[in-house]
Amino acid sequence: MNILLTGGLGFIGSHAATVLAEQGHQIILVDNLCNSQIEVLSHLGQIIGKQPIFYEADVRNTNLLNSIFQKHSIDLVIHFAGLKSVAESVTNPLKYYDNNVGGSISLLEAMQGAKVNKLIFSSSATVYGVPQYLPYDESHPTVPMNTYGKTKLQVEEILRDLSHADPDWSIVCLRYFNPVGAHESGLIGEHPRGMPNNLMPYVCQVASGKLPHLNIFGDDYETKDGTGERDYIHVMDLAEGHVAALNFVNQHPGFHAINLGTGVSYSVYDLIGAFEQAANSTIVRKVQPRRSGDLAIYYAKADKAKNLLGWQAKRDLQVMCKSGWNFHKQKS
Ligand code: NAD
Ligand code: WQD
């Protein structure tokens, strides 16, 4: 198939690109590089064995997208492009609604114009909000606690409406939990610009001496050791989840929201312990007050992905930490 990947040079998009290319699909990448580096393209080329087709373009530029759809006979789109900083979304909501919601509408218009109606959308577990029960299943109420989560939910709602209006659309919203780790080659991985917000990239920078210590945002939660618990998922498992979703989308019209998580939660201390073993180093840490907006614990009910997509995560926390560290070492 000819598959268009928006945000294809980003963390998750680039890993999905490797798996899709290995499966023999023609991939066409679009990215405006607002949160990725052009070097990822040549690294992808090294992994895949040929340079993927790439357009430096913003998904809000509908005319440019129209021309890309005209040039390539696209069968399906995977829409990764989006901004993802929770903190920035709260201080700059218009930027997030414009990019994440406006960008999605622009893409959908271009798809409609080109009569392409198969879509996989990068949604997030953030759409659920405060857990009313755990694990979160896909029927859990969706009450996001921040602007970023609201942009994801709004796009899901737009997609649901679109599929009601035109039943020929096939749409899968994949609600990712906490993606970490990197491709086994160490050539691509998570490369945040500026100070990392997320735990794993921060731990990597402490291990390499770039940052003096890890701040632990609260050790007084009602969790197994007082620190926050999350459903960390290896980015290659997530990438493989997209291949499974692609096979599903090809055969099932309608709108589907599906969790991609492992179904297991690990604490901050669990992750640090696994990382220290994987990297053979000690992570200096300081306990700080809770981070505003953080939840104590959440994790996925992963059954729907298993039943509908025939997919489940295989890689454990050790592999996540080892591969994440391997990428970080090679890059620095
Ligand atoms: P990322 O920032 O590494 O990748 C996103 C890519 O999209 C970047 O390369 C960026 O340059 C590009 N982009 C952003 N806005 C664009 C625009 N308007 N036009 C063209 N390109 C644009 O993030 P990621 O971790 O790979 O996340 C991919 C998707 O998955 C995002 O939509 C994100 O919200 C979602 N998601 C991520 C996580 C996570 O923790 N990483 C969890 C749940 C959902
Ligand atoms: C994990 C745990 C922190 C950093 C975010 C988004 C979510 C999704 C994934 C996109 C928490 C603790 C963290 C640090 C720490 N993204 N922590 N010190 O907050 O679960 O999810 O990324 O959709 O929307 O909210 O991930 O990696 O930031 O935090 O103690 O320096 O690590 O308190 O318990 P989070 P995270």
Side-chain angles (χ1 to χ4, degrees):
M1 291 175 82
N2 291 341
I3 304 174
L4 179 75
L5 277 63
T6 73
L9 293 190
F11 173 42
I12 303 170
S14 59
H15 288 79
T18 66
V19 182
L20 293 165
E22 269 162 26
Q23 299 258 324
H25 296 291
Q26 169 81 271
I27 51 170
I28 296 112
L29 312 180
V30 166
D31 204 301
N32 67 358
L33 302 178
C34 71
N35 197 37
S36 49
Q37 284 77 24
I38 192 64
E39 291 74 42
V40 174
L41 188 60
S42 55
H43 293 164
L44 270 179
Q46 272 178 266
I47 295 170
I48 294 166
K50 68 168 186 183
Q51 195 86 340
I53 301 168
F54 171 65
Y55 292 93
E56 183 174 343
D58 193 301
V59 292
R60 289 166 293 184
N61 186 341
T62 320
N63 288 338
L64 195 52
L65 290 183
N66 286 339
S67 66
I68 295 171
F69 278 103
Q70 260 170 23
K71 185 146 183 221
H72 304 278
S73 174
I74 307 284
D75 299 299
L76 181 146
V77 176
I78 311 185
H79 183 31
F80 296 102
L83 299 173
K84 62 170 181 178
S85 160
V86 169
E88 191 190 28
S89 78
V90 174
T91 55
N92 200 345
L94 291 183
K95 181 175 175 186
Y96 273 66
Y97 285 114
D98 177 37
N99 196 80
N100 291 4
V101 182
S104 298
I105 293 172
S106 165
L107 172 68
L108 292 166
E109 283 171 350
M111 288 178 70
Q112 212 161 34
K115 300 198 170 17
V116 177
N117 57 12
K118 293 188 171 74
L119 175 72
I120 298 172
F121 171 62
S122 294
S123 189
S124 169
T126 315
V127 297
Y128 294 120
V130 177
Q132 299 191 5
Y133 54 84
L134 283 173
Y136 288 133
D137 59 26
E138 291 82 354
S139 310
H140 186 283
T142 45
V143 191
M145 295 159 61
N146 53 63
T147 305
Y148 166 71
K150 288 179 194 168
T151 67
K152 290 288 166 189
L153 186 59
Q154 285 192 1
V155 176
E156 283 202 13
E157 283 168 356
I158 290 167
L159 295 174
R160 205 186 289 270
D161 288 350
L162 193 56
S163 100
H164 281 153
D166 179 355
D168 285 341
W169 275 84
S170 292
I171 298 168
V172 170
C173 294
L174 295 176
R175 294 175 175 164
Y176 311 149
F177 280 68
N178 286 55
V180 294
H183 190 267
E184 60 177 6
S185 64
L187 286 167
I188 55 170
E190 189 171 13
H191 195 177
R193 285 184 192 265
M195 189 65 98
N197 293 313
N198 296 115
L199 181 61
M200 177 73 104
Y202 206 105
V203 168
C204 285
Q205 295 206 12
V206 174
S208 64
K210 275 201 201 108
L211 291 169
H213 64 267
L214 172 72
N215 295 309
I216 297 192
F217 296 139
D219 67 351
D220 56 354
Y221 285 109
E222 280 187 29
T223 56
K224 63 177 170 187
D225 59 23
T227 65
E229 288 184 43
R230 295 291 183 270
D231 187 335
Y232 297 100
I233 176 166
H234 196 296
V235 65
M236 289 306 290
D237 277 325
L238 205 61
E240 288 163 11
H242 289 76
V243 176
L246 180 140
N247 296 332
F248 177 83
V249 128
N250 272 325
Q251 290 159 19
H252 297 85
F255 172 94
H256 312 267
I258 304 177
N259 288 339
L260 287 190
T262 65
V264 177
S265 71
Y266 288 106
S267 70
V268 175
Y269 286 144
D270 286 334
L271 189 138
I272 295 173
F275 190 93
E276 287 183 329
Q277 254 191 314
N280 197 20
S281 70
T282 303
I283 301 299
V284 182
R285 80 263 335 237
K286 284 191 183 161
V287 176
Q288 306 285 1
R290 293 178 180 189
R291 185 171 65 177
S292 150
D294 265 357
L295 294 166
I297 173 170
Y298 64 83
Y299 56 103
K301 187 162 173 65
D303 299 30
K304 191 169 176 185
K306 192 174 173 193
N307 295 335
L308 289 191
L309 309 182
W311 168 93
Q312 59 186 331
K314 323 191 268 260
R315 295 160 178 90
D316 65 18
L317 193 60
Q318 266 300 317
V319 179
M320 298 181 212
C321 292
K322 253 201 163 86
S323 60
W325 175 236
N326 183 39
F327 168 71
H328 189 85
K329 265 190 322 196
Q330 291 199 32
K331 161 172 79 65
S332 34

